[in-house]
């Protein structure tokens, strides 16, 4: 039996979710094993959040210099050193990955980490690719997700990039096609465009980033079309060409052009292949993902839990980390279920300006209020006067339930709104809060007052209903 390891909780996958699950299970008194073939650091640090934000940071600097003329500042002789930009992205990325390995992974107790690939051999038993087996009281699956690369793009070889390979480029391409206008497509297409790459962005859908508010979508479209060539509602087919790729598109528009590289950002699939889920007896949904309860992350009435992107609920970093904490705690407490209230749904896409979707858009009798940032005081001062914010509130009291926005300082506005929505604050109550002048937060007042006027809901007593210059 030397080749059979025993533990209370086995966690498959040492990404953000798996590390959180192992930590939570151990903190709750369980003996744990954490299995990963590589332990190379998380997707976030190696090929996800951090390298993408590093590229965006470089793009922001380059774009800022281009805007200096607006303020009467002339800058000459500027050029983008592509290899240097990408070197910094990789150097900083490698530092984040190393710190993750040294702290989150390196400081785990001895004998917790198992360097192997796992698959199920029964609901409580795993087989490892090194020949060993693990028997566990409960098991957490935290194997993450991988980019989808449809066969016609896979056939292009090195000319087709995904988020796994794009940060390895030695230099910026001259002409780049980006397929998919979700979070990855929008962020990277705009960043490359701001770094001087000629970018075309394609999507088969007419709606970018699954946006709910048509006004916010129209504003996003206007902003994106300033930077690059946008083709929505098209089917794209690629062919290899000398030194690149020939793309043809048909649908709402048609055309063909040659690009040096194609970045494919058409979504990510949960990494479930090779896990032999058939040995678990779990019920799967249409996409092969085990049915599970987001309040406990437990799959049916089994001792198996999901955490992170593999659950395919909300493939976001803070959700992966929360999933892991919930799954690990519940796995340690198994079979006693501990229900957790999930936080307000919330995603930010780091375009310039940032785009965010928060909470719910629709409810019976939902009221909306919109703020336009095209002429908002502080936004105009900064030369960043563009964007739209739509707030959703529930009848009858104007409780805030959601928002869609693309706005200057949008990531900060989005946090403030997500926190207010989670606290079930009403439009009246938010208007009672102090608003400093001149700030982009003042732009919210118009949307909040529109919501109050729509019902009508009382405006706060003793508050001026006017507006200071440009607010
Ligand atoms: C380009 C990009 C940008 C992003 N930007 C953001 C952002 O700005 N903000 C945000 O919130 N989110 C962002 N995300 C999403 C975020 O990175 C993910 O939601 C998060 O990293 C998922 O973590 P995870 O633990 O589920 O998966 P991972 O970190 O991928 O961990 C899964 C682990 O499982 C291991 N594994 C797989 N199969 C097995 C097996 N059979 N046996 C053992 N181990 C296995 C893998 O080796 C891996 O270590 C971005 C993603 C991408 C791709
Ligand atoms: N800032 C962030 O939080 C951030 C950043 C990057 C990624 N992420 C996470 O990573 C996930 C994956 O990102 P993503 O952008 O790859 O996926 P996505 O699901 O967000 O968007 C994919 C897009 O590709 C389009 N598409 C699909 N097939 C296509 C085809 N054949 N031709 C043309 N268009 C096609 C879809 O219509 C959709 O608009 C996101 O859902 C997000 O959760 C988050």
């Amino acid at each position: 039996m030397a080749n059979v390891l025993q533990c209370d909780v086995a966690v498959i996958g040492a990404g953000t979710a798996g590390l959180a699950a192992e930590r939570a299970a151990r903190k709750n008194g369980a003996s744990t094993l954490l299995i990963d073939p590589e332990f190379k650091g998380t997707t976030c640090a190696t090929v996800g959040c951090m390298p993408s934000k590093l590229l965006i940071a470089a793009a922001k600097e380059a774009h800022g210099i281009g805007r200096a003329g607006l303020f009467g500042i002339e800058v000459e002789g500027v050029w983008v050193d592509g290899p240097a930009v990408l070197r910094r992205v990789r150097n900083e990325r490698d530092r984040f990955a190393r710190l993750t390995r040294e702290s989150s992974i390196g400081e785990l107790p001895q004998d917790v980490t198992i360097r192997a690939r796992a698959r199920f051999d029964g609901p409580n038993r795993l087989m490892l690719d090194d020949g060993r087996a693990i028997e566990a009281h409960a098991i957490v699956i935290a194997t993450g997700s991988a980019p989808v690369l449809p066969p016609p793009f896979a056939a292009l070889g090195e000319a087709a990039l995904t988020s796994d390979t794009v940060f390895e480029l030695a230099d910026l391409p001259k002409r780049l096609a980006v397929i998919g206008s979700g979070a990855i497509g929008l962020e990277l297409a705009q960043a490359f465009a701001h770094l001087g790459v000629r970018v075309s962005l394609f999507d088969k859908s007419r709606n970018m980033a699954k946006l709910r508010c048509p006004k916010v979508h129209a504003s996003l479209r206007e902003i994106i079309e300033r930077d690059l060539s946008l083709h929505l509602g098209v089917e794209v087919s690629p062919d290899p060409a000398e030194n690149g790729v020939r793309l043809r598109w048909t649908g709402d528009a048609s055309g063909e052009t040659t690009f040096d590289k194609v970045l494919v950002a058409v979504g990510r699939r949960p990494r479930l292949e090779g896990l032999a889920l058939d040995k678990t007896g779990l019920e799967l949904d249409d996409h092969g993902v085990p049915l599970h309860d987001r309040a406990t992350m437990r799959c049916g009435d089994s001792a198996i839990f999901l955490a992170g992107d593999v659950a395919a609920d909300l493939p976001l970093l803070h959700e992966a980390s929360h999933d892991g904490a919930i799954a690990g705690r519940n796995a340690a407490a198994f079979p006693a279920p501990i229900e957790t209230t999930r936080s307000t749904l919330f995603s930010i896409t780091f375009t310039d300006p940032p785009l965010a979707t928060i909470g719910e858009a629709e409810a019976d009798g939902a009221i909306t209020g919109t703020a336009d940032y095209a002429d908002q005081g502080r936004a105009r001062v900064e030369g960043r006067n563009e964007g739209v914010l739509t707030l959703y509130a529930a009848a009858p009291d104007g409780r805030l339930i959601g928002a869609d926005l693309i706005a200057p300082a949008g990531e900060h506005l989005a946090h403030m709104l997500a926190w207010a929505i989670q606290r079930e604050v009403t439009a009246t109550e938010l208007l009672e809060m102090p608003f400093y002048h001149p700030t982009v937060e003042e732009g919210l007042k118009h949307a909040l007052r529109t919501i109050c006027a729509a019902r009508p809901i009382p405006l706060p007593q003793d508050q001026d209903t006017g507006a200071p210059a440009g607010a």
Side-chain angles (χ1 to χ4, degrees):
M1 292 296 279
N3 276 347
V4 181
L5 307 168
Q6 313 271 345
C7 66
D8 295 329
V9 176
V11 178
I12 315 175
T16 301
L19 286 162
E22 189 284 330
R23 253 190 312 268
R26 186 158 36 87
K27 196 172 129 202
N28 284 281
S31 61
T32 58
L33 290 173
L34 178 61
I35 309 136
D36 196 290
E38 295 177 282
F39 289 100
K40 65 178 175 191
T42 59
T43 284
C44 165
T46 56
V47 290
C49 322
M50 303 317 279
S52 57
K53 266 76 264 176
L54 283 159
L55 190 79
I56 289 167
K60 191 173 166 194
E61 290 301 315
H63 193 55
I65 295 167
R67 290 172 3 95
L70 177 67
F71 302 91
I73 300 158
E74 296 308 325
V75 187
E76 280 179 17
V78 177
W79 62 284
V80 174
D81 180 346
V85 166
L86 290 155
R87 252 193 326 272
R88 178 175 190 267
V89 168
R90 281 192 290 275
N91 286 344
E92 289 295 317
R93 181 270 316 263
D94 290 348
R95 182 179 162 279
F96 286 121
R98 176 172 54 75
L99 290 178
T100 306
R101 286 195 300 274
E102 285 173 5
S103 55
S104 302
I105 297 170
E107 288 169 11
L108 286 167
Q110 249 194 334
D111 302 330
V112 162
T113 55
I114 305 277
R115 192 173 285 267
R117 189 167 288 280
R119 66 184 155 81
F120 281 90
D121 191 31
N124 293 89
R125 189 179 159 92
L126 298 172
M127 286 302 300
L128 304 182
D129 60 359
D130 62 8
R132 290 182 292 174
I134 293 178
E135 285 173 356
H137 191 53
I139 296 175
V140 179
I141 307 174
T143 48
S145 63
V148 171
L149 188 60
F153 291 100
L156 299 171
E158 286 187 0
L161 304 166
T162 67
S163 52
D164 279 357
T165 51
V166 67
F167 305 112
E168 302 307 320
L169 285 172
D171 198 354
L172 297 170
K174 288 200 167 39
R175 300 158 305 174
L176 176 71
V178 178
I179 316 295
S181 65
I184 295 180
L186 281 172
E187 287 185 355
L188 296 185
Q190 194 192 39
F192 278 112
H194 284 175
L195 287 165
V197 177
R198 250 184 20 238
V199 178
S200 295
L201 176 59
F202 300 88
D203 203 301
K204 65 181 182 185
S205 163
R206 294 192 178 107
N207 190 24
M208 292 179 277
K210 301 183 188 88
L211 262 173
R212 305 171 298 191
C213 173
K215 288 181 192 159
V216 174
H217 191 268
S219 179
L220 168 67
R221 184 173 192 139
E222 199 182 317
I223 289 163
I224 289 295
E225 282 186 324
R226 269 208 314 265
D227 295 327
L228 48 81
S229 159
L230 180 66
H231 308 276
L232 298 180
V234 295
E235 291 290 334
V236 181
S237 53
D239 282 305
E242 202 181 332
N243 296 328
V245 180
R246 187 90 187 145
L247 275 194
R248 287 182 188 77
W249 61 97
T250 54
D252 286 359
S254 59
E256 62 178 275
T257 306
T258 302
F259 297 91
D260 303 313
K261 299 278 183 193
V262 181
L263 171 62
V264 184
V266 296
R268 295 175 64 83
R269 63 181 159 71
R271 239 193 248 121
L272 288 162
E273 70 280 356
L275 283 178
L277 287 181
D278 52 311
K279 299 274 175 55
T280 61
L282 294 179
E283 198 181 337
L284 309 182
D285 71 12
D286 294 345
H287 303 287
V289 178
L291 298 182
H292 59 281
D293 173 5
R294 260 176 63 75
T296 59
M297 295 314 289
R298 182 178 176 191
C299 303
D301 58 3
S302 75
I304 300 173
F305 297 80
L306 291 186
D309 280 17
V310 75
D313 297 321
L314 291 157
L316 299 172
L317 193 280
H318 67 280
E319 294 287 353
S321 143
H322 198 194
D323 281 358
I326 295 169
R329 180 163 169 238
N330 264 303
F334 184 80
I338 305 161
E339 299 237 334
T340 306
T341 306
R342 303 299 305 237
S343 44
T344 297
L345 306 181
F346 174 30
S347 77
I348 299 172
T349 303
F350 293 93
T351 43
D352 180 11
L355 178 71
T357 296
I358 309 155
E360 307 296 324
E362 298 298 336
D364 281 348
I367 321 158
T368 60
T370 298
D372 191 337
Y373 275 86
D375 205 22
Q376 200 267 336
R378 181 58 184 274
R380 201 170 172 90
V381 166
E382 305 290 335
R384 298 200 160 270
N385 47 312
E386 56 188 2
V388 172
L389 178 152
T390 296
L391 285 180
Y392 306 97
D397 58 350
R399 180 175 53 83
L400 300 176
I401 56 167
D404 288 322
L405 64 93
I406 179 160
E411 66 195 80
H412 306 299
L413 283 173
H415 271 90
M416 194 251 278
L417 287 170
W419 297 343
I421 289 163
Q422 184 157 323
R423 288 283 171 193
E424 305 194 336
V425 171
T426 66
T428 314
E429 286 166 344
L430 199 51
L431 276 169
E432 281 165 358
M433 304 289 178
F435 283 80
Y436 212 86
H437 177 69
T439 58
V440 291
E441 284 76 3
E442 284 178 306
L444 282 174
K445 281 187 174 179
H446 183 72
L448 291 165
R449 286 173 180 166
T450 312
I451 286 169
C452 291
R455 272 290 112 184
I457 296 163
L459 284 164
Q461 300 260 328
D462 310 323
Q463 290 269 9
D464 181 18
T465 51

